[in-house]
Amino acid sequence: MNHITIAGRLVEDPVRKEVNGSVVTSFRIASGRSGVKSGRLWIDVDTWGRLAGTCHQHLTKGRHVLVSGRLAQKEWSDAATGGKRSRYLVTARAVDFLS
């Protein structure tokens, strides 16, 4: 079973797109100790359908959220440097808006 629940703050406003007839809203959160860059995780989040619409309508940069969903790690080679790059992506099942 692949399930993660993580809290963090949006580092930028969400972006809404249509993909193959479905709506997706994507955003990035930073999770970890505030004011400390080392040890902080940067997590990309995708929301789909009705949840995507709600997130696009109500979330903005700086908003604190609790995200639950499926975690994946994407890896690729950077064309400019040839180095390995990676990112974490959560496909959200639920997003709670925290104060």
Side-chain angles (χ1 to χ4, degrees):
M1 176 177 216
N2 180 348
H3 182 83
I4 186 170
T5 299
I6 190 164
R9 292 196 183 274
L10 273 73
V11 298
E12 55 196 17
D13 287 336
V15 176
R16 181 184 181 274
K17 297 183 280 191
E18 289 197 28
V19 177
N20 297 328
S22 296
V23 176
V24 61
T25 295
S26 303
F27 54 91
R28 177 175 278 187
I29 63 171
S31 182
R33 294 183 358 198
S34 63
V36 178
K37 292 207 180 206
S38 64
R40 186 173 287 181
L41 287 175
W42 304 90
I43 308 287
D44 294 323
V45 179
D46 284 346
T47 58
W48 292 87
R50 177 174 275 157
L51 181 58
T54 301
C55 287
H56 184 260
Q57 184 177 10
H58 295 288
L59 293 180
T60 57
K61 180 181 177 178
R63 183 73 189 256
H64 196 206
V65 294
L66 183 70
V67 176
S68 297
R70 191 172 17 119
L71 178 66
Q73 182 179 14
K74 306 291 183 178
E75 295 182 347
W76 69 96
S77 294
D78 187 350
T81 64
K84 280 195 149 191
R85 304 283 310 255
S86 67
R87 71 183 181 117
Y88 294 104
L89 173 68
V90 173
T91 302
R93 291 187 189 112
V95 177
D96 294 320
F97 306 153
L98 305 175
S99 56

